[in-house]
Amino acid sequence: MADADDVRALALALPHVVEIDSEGFDFRVGDKGFVWSYPEREPGRRRVIRTDVAVLFVGDEAEKQALLLGEPDLFFTTPEYDGLPLVMLRLARATPARLAELVTDAWRMRAPADLAKDLDA
């Protein structure tokens, strides 16, 4: 079972990560977002920042669909994210090891090549 503190610890342990001031959490590498708290939007209601759900960059639509279909208890999406390489992760259902894998993978996909080499160093 993971939470926002776990996301923060994992993200900040990666090289060149900057946390953007927000109501929840929002992490960038090379000025590109790779994991942030889910800004839930319901028609006619004010946006709510959900720190129990992480939005993760996944690279492409094929990977997104594989995660959504393969682990529907962990991942979901909404129409606002159609066509974007992003999934939402229910943190309470993620193991620490799985969360670490996902955050690190998202970082690798977003980090510029000159920064990404520092993870393996």
Side-chain angles (χ1 to χ4, degrees):
M1 183 167 165
D3 63 19
D5 290 335
D6 296 318
V7 174
R8 182 168 281 109
L10 288 164
L12 291 175
L14 295 166
H16 310 289
V17 169
V18 174
E19 183 171 11
I20 303 301
D21 187 32
S22 71
E23 293 176 46
F25 53 85
D26 187 345
F27 298 98
R28 314 252 169 138
V29 60
D31 208 27
K32 296 179 182 179
F34 67 98
V35 61
W36 57 91
S37 44
Y38 173 48
E40 185 175 51
R41 296 173 183 92
E42 292 184 23
R45 301 182 109 179
R46 186 175 178 268
R47 179 183 76 157
V48 175
I49 302 299
R50 301 263 314 262
T51 58
D52 62 322
V53 176
V55 179
L56 288 156
F57 187 84
V58 294
D60 62 27
E61 186 67 23
E63 184 175 353
K64 176 180 181 172
Q65 292 306 317
L67 291 169
L68 293 170
L69 295 172
E71 299 175 84
D73 57 319
L74 280 181
F75 300 102
F76 70 98
T77 191
T78 63
E80 294 84 29
Y81 288 85
D82 285 351
L84 299 173
L86 304 167
V87 294
M88 277 66 82
L89 170 68
R90 295 174 182 94
L91 291 173
R93 296 184 183 176
T95 66
R98 184 70 168 126
L99 180 61
E101 174 188 5
L102 292 163
V103 170
T104 302
D105 286 351
W107 182 94
R108 283 185 189 280
M109 286 181 265
R110 298 295 278 174
D114 61 320
L115 300 181
K117 65 180 172 23
D118 290 344
L119 183 63
D120 299 321

